[in-house]
Amino acid sequence: MLIWIFPGDTRKVEMPSREMEVVKGQMVVLQAWYSPSSDISQNTVIWHFTGNESKQKQLCNFVRRKVGHGQNEFTKRVGFSVTMPSANLSIYINNTQESDSGLYFCHVIVPGGRGISGELRLNVKVPPSPPLCSMTGNPVVNGNVTLSCKSSQGKPAPHYKWTKAAPTSEVFFSPMQNERHGTLRLSNLTKGMSGKYICRASNTAGSDSCSINLEPTTASNGGMIAAATLGSVVGLVAMVLILIFILKRKQDTEEEMANEIKEDAQAPKRVSWAKSNTGSDIVSKNGTLSSIATSPRSQDLHQPKFPYPYSPISAIARAPVVGTPLKRTEGPQPQVPGPVAASPHISSSTLTRMGAVAVMVPAQSQAGSLV
């Protein structure tokens, strides 16, 4: 309420209310006027604001027939409602904010007279922000759950009210419902309590709502669902392990086959009896003759040398096949150490003591065949 006191006049001009309310974002007009007794163009008008910070801020003024504005958050949002000079001193505020709540002062200075003033409190209300609905507890039959609803903004503080939507509408009261904290406790759930639950947050500035669906399940159904989920996970893991095992086994088999092929591909080395120095048993195909060389190579290396002529026919040479002519090799042949033939000058016992080995030399006919 603004009260204006005029010089030499005890009458008061009263406003409908000393407080005004406005919803955030809307425009508000702070009304004030007086009845001048002199030229109003010479008067000075100043509007001030004091908020929660207790710091006075100038909004606008009319001084020496000119309109001015303060440099603060009200700049470009505040102005006189009518063209000055005027007996109507009302101002407007656009796009009101919550921080605009506070005391507004208007001072009128009359040259050569007493000044007059007035004040007005403005309250900017904030509607509730869209609330968030949530549920805690286990929604099973015979179980208990708590539904919660909360708005992050709202001035004054919102109140919350839960209701159950159609087809079975229901309204809840205390102690089940706490309108201040926005909670609703539901005990001993039944299938009939299934449905959509709506929470509405409201204050004098507005309201908003959210909802949540409740579907109580039986404990057995919950266990079956959990078991099915666990079984699916275990089955999937088992399939992955089996697949890995099969691939590993296939890879090992392929590696073994590759190794076997490599081993089979190696051609066997041809053994030459003629170059063998370790001794071997040679049997002719007709089975009548055989020559045996049992002396190891190590003994050949240590055999004593004799000055006697050495026979080129030895057990180490490859035995000819019966019926096949022998081919004589022309030219000098390598002298391979072998058994020493007995000499008429040395007895057989003496040769045996000296390490000589007796051999049987097959007879050869004139045609070159063995007999």
Side-chain angles (χ1 to χ4, degrees):
M1 179 177 62
L2 292 176
I3 300 177
W4 305 104
I5 302 176
F6 303 101
D9 191 351
T10 59
R11 292 178 302 174
K12 298 179 181 180
V13 178
E14 298 183 1
M15 303 298 297
S17 175
R18 297 191 57 163
E19 293 187 4
M20 296 186 64
E21 290 185 346
V22 64
V23 177
K24 178 184 176 180
Q26 296 181 353
M27 184 192 74
V28 64
V29 176
L30 306 182
Q31 296 181 349
W33 62 87
Y34 72 112
S35 299
S37 59
S38 60
D39 185 7
I40 60 176
S41 61
Q42 301 299 321
N43 296 342
T44 299
V45 180
I46 302 174
W47 279 89
H48 291 278
F49 166 74
T50 302
N52 296 330
E53 299 177 356
S54 300
K55 182 179 179 180
Q56 192 175 72
K57 301 177 182 180
Q58 186 177 139
L59 304 179
C60 58
N61 58 71
F62 176 76
V63 180
R64 298 177 181 178
R65 301 182 180 184
K66 291 182 180 180
V67 175
H69 298 84
Q71 300 298 321
N72 46 53
E73 66 271 19
F74 289 96
T75 304
K76 298 183 180 181
R77 292 197 299 125
V78 175
F80 287 100
S81 299
V82 297
T83 304
M84 299 298 288
S86 174
N88 187 349
L89 307 178
S90 303
I91 61 172
Y92 65 86
I93 304 175
N94 288 327
N95 189 24
T96 52
Q97 302 298 314
E98 184 178 0
S99 58
D100 294 345
S101 298
L103 286 174
Y104 291 81
F105 300 91
C106 178
H107 302 276
V108 179
I109 301 175
V110 179
R114 297 174 55 187
I116 58 177
S117 63
E119 66 179 36
L120 172 68
R121 177 174 292 277
L122 177 65
N123 183 26
V124 180
K125 299 184 297 182
V126 181
S129 60
L132 177 64
C133 289
S134 61
M135 178 174 59
T136 58
N138 192 11
V140 297
V141 174
N142 298 326
N144 303 324
V145 296
T146 300
L147 306 183
S148 301
C149 177
K150 188 68 175 178
S151 293
S152 59
Q153 294 180 350
K155 181 185 175 181
H159 282 71
Y160 306 93
K161 191 171 184 63
W162 283 94
T163 57
K164 188 174 181 294
T168 55
S169 300
E170 190 174 353
V171 178
F172 305 98
F173 301 94
S174 180
M176 293 179 60
Q177 178 170 229
N178 188 322
E179 295 187 356
R180 181 178 178 182
H181 296 92
T183 58
L184 174 65
R185 180 173 177 78
L186 302 176
S187 304
N188 297 323
L189 296 177
T190 63
K191 286 288 187 179
M193 300 174 68
S194 300
K196 183 178 181 180
Y197 289 76
I198 301 173
C199 173
R200 180 168 294 278
S202 59
N203 61 10
T204 55
S207 64
D208 209 332
S209 64
C210 64
S211 63
I212 191 170
N213 291 321
L214 176 63
E215 295 290 341
T217 59
T218 60
S220 59
N221 290 340
M224 292 176 63
I225 293 173
T229 303
L230 180 60
S232 300
V233 174
V234 173
L236 180 60
V237 173
M239 290 178 64
V240 172
L241 293 177
I242 292 174
L243 180 60
I244 293 175
F245 174 77
I246 293 174
L247 294 177
K248 180 66 175 176
R249 187 64 179 272
K250 182 178 180 182
Q251 183 179 0
D252 294 342
T253 304
E254 291 177 353
E255 291 179 356
E256 291 178 0
M257 293 178 64
N259 293 334
E260 291 178 359
I261 292 174
K262 289 180 180 180
E263 293 177 359
D264 294 342
Q266 295 179 357
K269 296 182 179 180
R270 183 176 181 181
V271 179
S272 176
W273 291 354
K275 297 181 180 180
S276 174
N277 295 325
T278 59
S280 60
D281 294 339
I282 304 173
V283 182
S284 62
K285 289 188 176 181
N286 57 8
T288 59
L289 298 177
S290 65
S291 61
I292 303 173
T294 59
S295 299
R297 187 175 183 180
S298 59
Q299 292 179 0
D300 295 344
L301 296 176
H302 296 85
Q303 287 181 356
K305 296 182 181 181
F306 298 97
Y308 303 102
Y310 171 74
S311 175
I313 302 174
S314 65
I316 301 176
R318 179 179 301 177
V321 180
V322 177
T324 304
L326 293 175
K327 295 182 181 180
R328 301 194 179 194
T329 305
E330 300 296 335
Q333 299 296 323
Q335 300 298 321
V336 179
V340 180
S343 173
H345 301 286
I346 302 176
S347 64
S348 60
S349 60
T350 302
L351 293 174
T352 301
R353 288 195 302 271
M354 295 174 66
V357 179
V359 297
M360 181 177 291
V361 180
Q364 183 176 0
S365 65
Q366 295 180 355
S369 304
L370 295 176
V371 287

